[in-house]
Amino acid sequence: MDRSIPHIVVAEREFLIALDAEYLIKSALDCRITLLRPEQLDQWDATALAGIDLCLLDVPLDATRITARINRLIEARVPLLFTTVADIHIGGIEGFEVVPIARKPYDGETLAALARRRLRQTPQPPEADQN
């Protein structure tokens, strides 16, 4: 697997919306994209999660339903970008206000800019001890 190309996961309930995000991001960034339903992330182990450079995570109207999923991704140090169609979440998700939100339907330039910004903030793995 080529780690020089970012791996972006689009965790979206609606397949056509996921395809739209994939198209818009790949048009702007050289990356690999995996499309899946949000609940599928719960099956990924720590090693698989470590390979994610950015996760676009769909937030349902009741965001408390996915708090455990969000916490697990944060603990695994997966950079997140929330996606939503709900006006209620535009100001941020309670408890996770530092995570930016991309509004659906997507504006291609805005989505690409948010993705680039989150990728830049991705911590790099520590260098191996050379001693």
Side-chain angles (χ1 to χ4, degrees):
M1 181 178 333
D2 185 357
R3 291 292 299 158
S4 65
I5 298 174
H7 180 208
I8 298 175
V9 170
V10 177
E12 169 63 55
R13 292 174 290 161
E14 300 293 333
F15 184 67
L16 293 177
I17 294 173
L19 284 176
D20 185 39
E22 177 183 37
Y23 172 77
L24 294 170
I25 292 170
K26 286 193 78 111
S27 294
L29 302 169
D30 183 21
C31 61
R32 293 180 303 116
I33 294 186
T34 300
L35 305 179
L36 50 79
R37 294 185 52 80
E39 61 272 10
Q40 289 176 289
L41 281 170
D42 301 340
Q43 305 304 314
W44 287 35
D45 63 17
T47 302
L49 292 175
I52 299 174
D53 295 302
L54 175 63
C55 177
L56 277 67
L57 181 62
D58 177 48
V59 178
L61 185 58
D62 180 4
T64 61
R65 292 181 21 221
I66 64 166
T67 300
R69 182 175 300 130
I70 295 169
N71 283 326
R72 182 170 179 260
L73 292 169
I74 289 172
E75 288 170 12
R77 300 180 62 121
V78 174
L80 293 172
L81 174 59
F82 293 144
T83 63
T84 189
V85 71
D87 289 337
I88 192 171
H89 298 313
I90 296 308
I93 307 301
E94 187 175 344
F96 306 102
E97 290 85 358
V98 299
V99 177
I101 299 173
R103 179 97 191 260
K104 301 178 215 174
Y106 300 120
D107 168 86
E109 290 180 26
T110 302
L111 183 61
L114 285 169
R116 274 191 201 97
R117 193 172 315 132
R118 294 303 288 167
L119 284 170
R120 284 190 198 121
Q121 294 174 358
T122 304
Q124 296 301 313
E127 297 297 322
D129 189 351
Q130 307 259 332
N131 294 331

